[in-house]
Amino acid sequence: MICIILLLCVSQVSFAQTDADYEKLVEKITDLINTKDIKSIYDLFSEPLKKENSFENFEKSILGYQEELGKITSTEFWMEGELGNCYLLEFEQASMVLIVKLLSDNKISVFNVEEY
């Protein structure tokens, strides 16, 4: 019985995303937003997330943030929440919060940018 419990715990850990996975993702997203390569961010989305968000609407909102707030100058892990990991995005003109969640295949299942 103990072996089965340990096996279940190990399998859960092996499929969980690490802090390093999230850090790399947020760094990549920051670079892509700053270079206005919104299509590359959208390509990281899981299929269900793509179905919820059309590329046109996603591109319009992200480019709108950048046009209004400037480039992202820094990011900082804020907390892990129910929806995903929260990061503080410091733009040139204001701060926003990015909520992002990864699946086991490193596709994004949650992507929200909200006012801070």
Side-chain angles (χ1 to χ4, degrees), residues 6-116:
L6 287 175
L7 183 61
L8 289 173
C9 290
V10 169
S11 67
Q12 289 285 21
V13 171
S14 66
F15 293 115
Q17 302 308 317
T18 66
D19 292 340
D21 292 330
Y22 279 96
E23 291 298 325
K24 281 191 242 178
L25 175 69
V26 172
E27 183 177 319
K28 184 174 189 173
I29 289 170
T30 299
D31 292 340
L32 293 171
I33 289 174
N34 284 341
T35 59
K36 299 182 180 181
D37 187 359
I38 309 308
K39 177 76 169 104
S40 292
I41 299 170
Y42 192 78
D43 289 342
L44 298 172
F45 283 12
S46 65
E47 288 305 314
L49 188 57
K50 286 180 180 178
K51 287 179 183 175
E52 290 175 21
N53 300 286
S54 72
F55 173 71
E56 293 77 19
N57 288 339
F58 178 69
E59 181 181 45
K60 184 178 177 181
S61 66
I62 297 299
L63 291 176
Y65 290 134
Q66 190 185 38
E67 187 175 302
E68 184 179 331
L69 306 175
K71 290 190 173 192
I72 299 172
T73 58
S74 68
T75 61
E76 180 182 341
F77 174 75
W78 194 21
M79 66 180 198
E80 188 174 332
E82 285 184 30
L83 294 178
N85 286 6
C86 302
Y87 292 84
L88 183 63
L89 303 179
E90 293 289 346
F91 287 81
E92 293 170 327
Q93 304 297 320
S95 300
M96 301 289 280
V97 174
L98 169 65
I99 302 168
V100 65
K101 186 172 187 174
L102 286 172
L103 298 173
S104 60
D105 63 355
N106 283 335
K107 290 290 188 180
I108 299 171
S109 63
V110 173
F111 188 99
N112 292 319
V113 179
E114 300 176 358
E115 289 187 28
Y116 176 64

